[in-house]
Amino acid sequence: MKAFTPIWRTATREQAIGILQGTREVTDSLIDNLSARRLTVAGPLGGGVWSIKDLIGHLATWEERALVILGARKPASGSGNAPQTTDERWLERTDIGGKRSALGLVLGKLLTGEKYGYYAHDLAHYKDLKRAVMPST
């Protein structure tokens, strides 16, 4: 994995998209050529009970939550508009859990990558995913 600089502030829409795409490319590069069996075997993910497929479901669940907050999806419907938003909407104060923050910051915190910063959720699981894919490393 190449060097990554975490963002700990409200990212621009373009920065958020770049982080999401870049970190997903890292995940995809690790799992693209795995067999269906390798994807479903439990490994060092989720405390030893998750398969790689479970991890992908975990990432998708949090991304779906972000889309609901963004207004691009209705809860549990699987349908809605594409996640397009304006710069004004991105910076608009949104009430989440009794606190008001910019929508872009709320989404970044939801998709945090721990030490990798906002929007880097995939990287929070990188070390364990790499061990699941390449057990000898």
Side-chain angles (χ1 to χ4, degrees), residues 77-126:
S77 73
S79 64
N81 299 320
Q84 297 166 345
T85 191
T86 63
D87 288 332
E88 287 109 13
R89 171 83 172 107
W90 187 256
L91 296 174
E92 183 178 291
R93 308 288 266 166
T94 304
D95 186 12
I96 299 288
K99 295 182 180 179
R100 293 182 59 76
S101 294
L103 176 62
L105 184 59
V106 169
L107 297 173
K109 288 181 178 182
L110 181 71
L111 299 173
T112 188
E114 297 174 353
K115 70 179 183 179
Y116 296 101
Y118 299 147
Y119 294 99
H121 187 190
D122 282 44
L123 297 186
H125 302 283
Y126 173 77

Side-chain angles (χ1 to χ4, degrees), residues 2-67:
K2 66 181 183 177
F4 184 83
T5 304
I7 290 183
W8 296 109
R9 57 177 166 64
T10 304
T12 65
R13 288 182 310 129
E14 292 77 20
Q15 287 172 321
I17 290 167
I19 293 168
L20 289 167
Q21 288 175 337
T23 58
R24 183 53 47 88
E25 286 173 6
V26 170
T27 298
D28 288 347
S29 73
L30 288 172
I31 66 172
D32 273 347
N33 296 315
L34 297 179
S35 68
R37 175 164 167 32
R38 289 279 311 276
L39 293 172
T40 58
V41 173
L45 300 161
V49 297
W50 283 3
S51 67
I52 294 169
K53 189 174 178 180
D54 293 327
L55 171 65
I56 299 306
H58 165 79
L59 294 171
T61 297
W62 284 99
E63 291 163 4
E64 182 71 18
R65 290 176 181 169
L67 289 171

